[in-house]
Amino acid sequence: MKKIIAYGVILSCIFLITGCGCSKEKNVVPERIEENTLSGKFFDNQMLDTLEIQNFNIAIEDGSSYISFDVSNTAESEVALEYIKILLYDIQDNLALETYGYIGGTIASLEVKHVVIDVDVELSSITRVAYEKM
């Protein structure tokens, strides 16, 4: 009887250690994502005089387009600036959209401002971005 109990304990330990033959991988089914629910496009950082424009992103979510970017002042002094003109070009290098990002008057030295713009134009074909001070 002791041998049967000992074999049972040994087999139980083996099953526990090996996971009872179960795979450790979990099959996770991702939630269904609707087409064009969320997509995005990032562009390279650019300098506009002493201002660095970083993390420029075009996001398309539920049919709406958003532009977001950071503006940082790399100068040692404050820069007066109300708006930045943003020019977006498509694959044929045609101007697809001209819009403005509100900066808010001044940017202190080494300050970073985050700008988000809601746009009514579909922007998935944009391939190039240019900026101008206003």
Side-chain angles (χ1 to χ4, degrees):
M1 183 70 170
K2 289 183 180 182
K3 286 184 180 181
I4 295 173
I5 293 174
Y7 287 125
V9 169
I10 292 172
L11 285 174
S12 298
C13 289
I14 291 173
F15 283 126
L16 286 174
I17 292 171
T18 62
C20 300
C22 296
S23 173
K24 297 280 184 195
E25 296 178 24
K26 293 183 179 179
N27 291 332
V28 178
V29 178
E31 294 180 20
R32 185 168 182 243
I33 298 175
E34 297 294 326
E35 190 173 326
N36 286 331
T37 301
L38 177 63
S39 63
K41 192 182 291 188
F42 285 89
F43 292 86
D44 293 335
N45 297 345
Q46 293 185 29
M47 292 297 293
L48 182 63
D49 295 333
T50 60
L51 300 175
E52 183 176 15
I53 300 171
Q54 308 166 321
N55 305 321
F56 190 91
N57 177 30
I58 295 174
I60 301 164
E61 183 176 359
D62 296 330
S64 297
S65 297
Y66 304 91
I67 297 171
S68 67
F69 58 94
D70 297 323
V71 179
S72 61
N73 180 6
T74 61
E76 293 181 10
S77 61
E78 186 174 85
V79 173
L81 182 66
E82 287 290 323
Y83 293 93
I84 291 180
K85 182 191 262 185
I86 304 162
L87 306 167
L88 302 173
Y89 295 89
D90 63 13
I91 199 160
Q92 290 87 19
D93 210 32
N94 296 323
L95 181 63
L97 179 67
E98 177 181 318
T99 189
Y100 299 89
Y102 179 70
I103 304 303
T106 60
I107 301 178
S109 178
L110 304 177
E111 181 181 10
V112 178
K113 291 198 175 185
H114 184 71
V115 179
V116 177
I117 304 166
D118 185 17
V119 181
D120 293 335
V121 179
E122 205 283 313
L123 301 175
S124 64
S125 65
I126 301 302
T127 59
R128 185 171 69 90
V129 180
Y131 310 95
E132 294 178 8
K133 279 185 170 182
M134 296 301 298

